[in-house]
């Protein structure tokens, strides 16, 4: 599925209410809707001028909704879905959030993963080998992907009010319009 309008994306994001990262609800303690809002809000607070990073936080897990049960491929499904609308950087950050998880699993304590993330790590490839970690570190988006991943792990608080999805429509429209203008120039 490729998302071609902010309206289509908003429909998917609203459909995340009551949808979970694991079909049997054994995963995160919040639904995909609340997780998206919390992750994006954390990124807005820590990186207020980086709208693309914030939007990547909002959409990073929609692959769980698009292909339920495919934990290993959820980042790729989400990245492919948002790329035509939100552009390469948002798509790459979404795709890299699992690689960032694998990377963080190789780093010293203090940059660890949530308990749920640790459980799904194996199906997503496990901790990176040293050569994989070195390659990841060379990626120009590695630091931003790690920032997204850390917000991803922190954005799982039951009962936390992180606003409403409609608050993100304008930001999504801005990012989509910027990508549309840049794509027309290429």
């Amino acid at each position: 599925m490729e998302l071609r309008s902010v309206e289509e994306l908003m429909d998917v994001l609203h459909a995340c209410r009551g949808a979970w990262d694991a079909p049997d609800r054994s995963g995160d303690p919040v639904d995909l809707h609340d997780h998206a809002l919390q992750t994006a809000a954390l990124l807005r607070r820590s990186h207020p001028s980086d709208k693309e990073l914030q939007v990547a936080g909002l959409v990073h897990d929609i692959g769980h909704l698009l292909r339920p049960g495919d934990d290993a491929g959820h980042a790729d499904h989400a990245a492919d879905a948002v790329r035509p609308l939100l552009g390469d950087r948002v798509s790459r950050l979404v795709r890299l959030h699992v690689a960032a998880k694998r990377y963080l699993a190789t780093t010293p304590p203090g940059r660890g993963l949530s308990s749920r993330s640790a459980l799904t790590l194996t199906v997503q490839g496990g901790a990176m080998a040293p050569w994989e970690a070195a390659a990841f570190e060379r990626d120009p988006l590695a630091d931003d992907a790690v920032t997204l991943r850390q917000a991803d792990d922190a954005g799982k608080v039951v009962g936390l009010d992180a606003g409403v999805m409609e608050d993100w429509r304008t930001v999504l429209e801005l990012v989509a319009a910027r990508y549309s203008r840049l794509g027309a120039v290429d």
Side-chain angles (χ1 to χ4, degrees):
M1 168 183 215
E2 289 186 349
L3 299 167
R4 299 277 179 190
S5 71
V6 170
E7 195 59 42
E8 285 179 2
L9 178 53
M10 289 298 294
D11 288 345
V12 169
L13 290 167
H14 283 295
C16 288
R17 183 174 295 287
W20 301 82
D21 64 331
D24 64 359
R25 292 188 57 177
S26 64
D28 292 335
V30 296
D31 66 11
L32 294 172
H33 178 272
D34 289 350
H35 176 57
L37 288 172
Q38 289 180 28
T39 303
L42 288 166
L43 293 166
R44 177 182 273 169
R45 190 174 310 132
S46 66
H47 293 76
S49 63
D50 193 342
K51 302 302 184 207
E52 289 178 337
L53 180 62
Q54 296 166 25
V55 165
L58 189 69
V59 303
H60 76 281
D61 271 350
I62 64 169
H64 287 298
L65 181 74
L66 301 175
R67 294 258 180 100
D70 186 2
D71 201 46
H74 81 280
D76 291 334
H77 300 307
D80 292 344
V82 301
R83 187 186 175 287
L85 179 63
L86 301 175
D88 296 330
R89 182 166 180 255
V90 172
S91 177
R92 286 204 58 236
L93 287 169
V94 169
R95 193 176 309 279
L96 285 171
H97 89 273
V98 170
K101 172 183 178 173
R102 295 183 61 225
Y103 173 75
L104 287 172
T106 68
T107 61
R111 296 181 76 187
L113 303 170
S114 70
S115 57
R116 170 62 183 160
S117 291
L119 288 174
T120 57
L121 179 63
T122 303
V123 72
Q124 294 170 338
M128 287 182 170
W131 66 268
E132 290 175 301
F136 178 81
E137 290 169 349
R138 287 190 300 273
D139 190 303
L141 291 179
D143 288 342
D144 290 339
V146 167
T147 298
L148 170 57
R149 180 74 230 174
Q150 290 170 326
D152 179 1
D153 277 336
K156 301 174 183 184
V157 180
V158 175
L160 178 69
D161 181 2
V164 296
M165 197 60 74
E166 202 56 38
D167 291 343
W168 287 95
R169 182 182 296 273
T170 302
V171 178
L172 290 169
E173 289 170 346
L174 286 170
V175 171
R178 183 180 308 141
Y179 176 67
S180 178
R181 278 193 312 275
L182 291 176
V185 173
D186 289 342

